[in-house]
C-alpha cells in the first residue's frame, strides 16, 4: 500500500493509473474505520484494478456547534485495516493541503438537504459536496463507494455527479447489520445493555413500513404513524420518522416510484439512524 | 469540424482524444463570435492537438433584470468563423441539455465577486462558475482560454481551478486593441462618431496609471484620482475606476505585487470596460 499526503502526488498517481487504462475505485472516509467502511473497500476491490481510500476529517462539514476537534482519529489502526482490506493507495492529507487558501468557490447544495439529518446541520452538505468535488478531481475515480446507511449523503452525491456531469459511477453499498437487524455503527457501543436490546426496533419499524406498502398502503402518514408507534416503545426519543421520494427527497401525498423510509432515534448516549429504500410497484428490486 | 449537441457525445469524444494522448484546448463562448474570441482560438490552435469551442448562452449567469432572450445569437455565422479559425469540435448544447434537472448543486463564488462588474451583477459569477464546471467535466481540457478583457472572470476561473484541484491550465489572452488603443468589443459599434473619438481615453487613462506607478507612486487613491480626471474629459459617465490586487481583487492601501487597474465608462448606448495588469516591482513582465 502506498500512502500519499499531498494533492499534487495523489493527482499525478491517479492520472497515471487512468492513463494506463486502469480503473480506480475510490472510498472517501473520515477515518476511524469500521466494518461499514471495509464493506465499501471489499466491493471496490472486486470491481476495480486500483482501490484508493482517503482519510480526511473535513473541517468544512462540521458546524460551529459540532466538535471537529473531538472527532475520533486513529490513523495507525486505520492504516493496518486499509492495507489488510486491499487498499492500494491511502490518501491522508492535512486540512491545510485540502484548503490551501481561503475558499474562492464552494459547492452549494440547493436541494435534498432540508430534510432528515440535513435539517439540523446547516451547511453540512455544502462541506461534503465541496470536499468530494476536490477529492474526485484529485483521485480520478471510475467508481465511488458510499454506504446507504447515510442515504441522504448518497442522494447529494447523486445530484453532484449528475448536475456537474462528473464521469464517475456512484455505487451505493447496502447497510451492514447485526444478526438482529441493527445497523452496524461505531455509535452502537455507546448504547446501554437495555438500549441495545431495544435498538433493533428501528429496523423492525422500517420493515413494518415496507410490509404495509406491500399490503397496498400508499398513504405516507398512515405508515409513519405505525412506525412511530413501534419506535415509541423504546426508551429513545424519536428525532424523525419520515418518508420521501428517493433520491429527490421530496414529500409525497401518495407513495409511488422509489421511496425512502428513514428514522432517527436519540438514546441516552447514542443517536441511531437507519433507512430502507422501497420500490413501488414492488415487483422491482426492493433495496437500492 | 465536428458539431455535437449532447453532453453524452462531447464527453465521450473528449475522453477519447485524451485517452489517445491528445491535448485539448477549450474555448468556452456565448457565441456571436468576434475577433476577441478568434484570438483565443488562434492561441488554442497553436498550443494543442485538438481545439474544442462551446457556444452556449448560459441562462444561469443572467440576472432577472438582464435580457437573456435578447442576447445576440448567430449560430450559422459562428459555425463558419469557428471552422475558419481551426476549431475541431464545436459544442452547441441547448439549455435543457446543460440543465437537465432543477439544480441540486451549484458553484457558489464567495470571493472576487463584490467588486468591479460583479458588484452590480449578483449571482452572475455563480452562473459562470457552475456552467464552466459542467463544461470542463464534459470537455476534459488540457488548457482553457479566456480573454483578459474580462479580468474578473479570469480571476474567478483561477479560483475555481485552484480550489477544486481541476487539472487544467488557465491561459489568459491579452485584450485585442484598435490602433488607437481602444479595446476591441462588439459594443464599440454602438458608440457615436464623437464618442468613438473619445473612447481611447480609457486605455490612455490606464496607461497613465501604469506610468505613475513606474514613477514611484504607491498610493492607489492618488492614481485613481488622476485616472478619473482623464475619464471625466469624455462625455461618458464613470461607472468605476478602481485598483485591486490581482487575482485576489482585494483593496490595498499601498500598491505592491500584481495589481489590476480597471475602468468602466457608460456612453450613451455603450458601456465600455478596460483594464491593465501591473507587476510591482516593475522589473517583472508588465502584462499578465
Amino acid at each position: 500500500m502506498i500512502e500519499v499526503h499531498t494533492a499534487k502526488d495523489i493527482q499525478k498517481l491517479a492520472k497515471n493509473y487512468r492513463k494506463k487504462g486502469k480503473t480506480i475505485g475510490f472510498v472517501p472516509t473520515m477515518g476511524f474505520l469500521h466494518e461499514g467502511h471495509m464493506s465499501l473497500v471489499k466491493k471496490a476491490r472486486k470491481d476495480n484494478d486500483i482501490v484508493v481510500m482517503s482519510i480526511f476529517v473535513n473541517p468544512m462539514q462540521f458546524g460551529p456547534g459540532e466538535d471537529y476537534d473531538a472527532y475520533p482519529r486513529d490513523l495507525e489502526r486505520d492504516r493496518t485495516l486499509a492495507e489488510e482490506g486491499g487498499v492500494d493507495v491511502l490518501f491522508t492529507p492535512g486540512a491545510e493541503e485540502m484548503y490551501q487558501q481561503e475558499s474562492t468557490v464552494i459547492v452549494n447544495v440547493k436541494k435534498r438537504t432540508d430534510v432528515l439529518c440535513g435539517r439540523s446541520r446547516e451547511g453540512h452538505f455544502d462541506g461534503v459536496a465541496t470536499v468530494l468535488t476536490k477529492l474526485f478531481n484529485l483521485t480520478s475515480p471510475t467508481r465511488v463507494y458510499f454506504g446507504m446507511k447515510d442515504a441522504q449523503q448518497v442522494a447529494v452525491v447523486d445530484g453532484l455527479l449528475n448536475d456537474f456531469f462528473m464521469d464517475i459511477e456512484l455505487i451505493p453499498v447496502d447497510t451492514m447489520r447485526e444478526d438482529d437487524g441493527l445497523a452496524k455503527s461505531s455509535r452502537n457501543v455507546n448504547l446501554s445493555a437495555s438500549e441495545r436490546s431495544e435498538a433493533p426496533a428501528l429496523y423492525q419499524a422500517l420493515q413494518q413500513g415496507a410490509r404495509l406498502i406491500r399490503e397496498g398502503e400508499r398513504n405516507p402518514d398512515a405508515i409513519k404513524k405505525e412506525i412511530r408507534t413501534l419506535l415509541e416503545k423504546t426508551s429513545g426519543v424519536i428525532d424523525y420518522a419520515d418518508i420521501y421520494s428517493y433520491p429527490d427527497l421530496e414529500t409525497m401525498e401518495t407513495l409511488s416510484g422509489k421511496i425512502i423510509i428513514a428514522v432517527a432515534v436519540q438514546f441516552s448516549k447514542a443517536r441511531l439512524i437507519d433507512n430502507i429504500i422501497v420500490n413501488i410497484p414492488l415487483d422491482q428490486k426492493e433495496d437500492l
Side-chain angles (χ1 to χ4, degrees), chain A residues 66 113-122 124 239 271:
Chain A
E66 299 169 14
T113 58
D114 57 347
V115 296
L116 305 175
C117 296
R119 192 163 33 199
S120 55
R121 300 190 74 182
E122 209 201 309
H124 168 70
D239 182 0
R271 180 173 172 279

Side-chain angles (χ1 to χ4, degrees), chain A residues 82-112:
Chain A
E83 178 136 38
E84 284 172 4
V87 169
D88 298 295
V89 181
L90 186 64
F91 178 47
T92 54
E96 72 297 343
E97 186 67 18
M98 292 303 288
Y99 297 92
Q100 295 183 356
Q101 50 184 11
E102 204 190 317
S103 298
T104 302
V105 297
I106 62 160
V107 179
N108 176 218
V109 186
K110 311 286 279 186
K111 295 177 64 180
R112 308 184 179 185

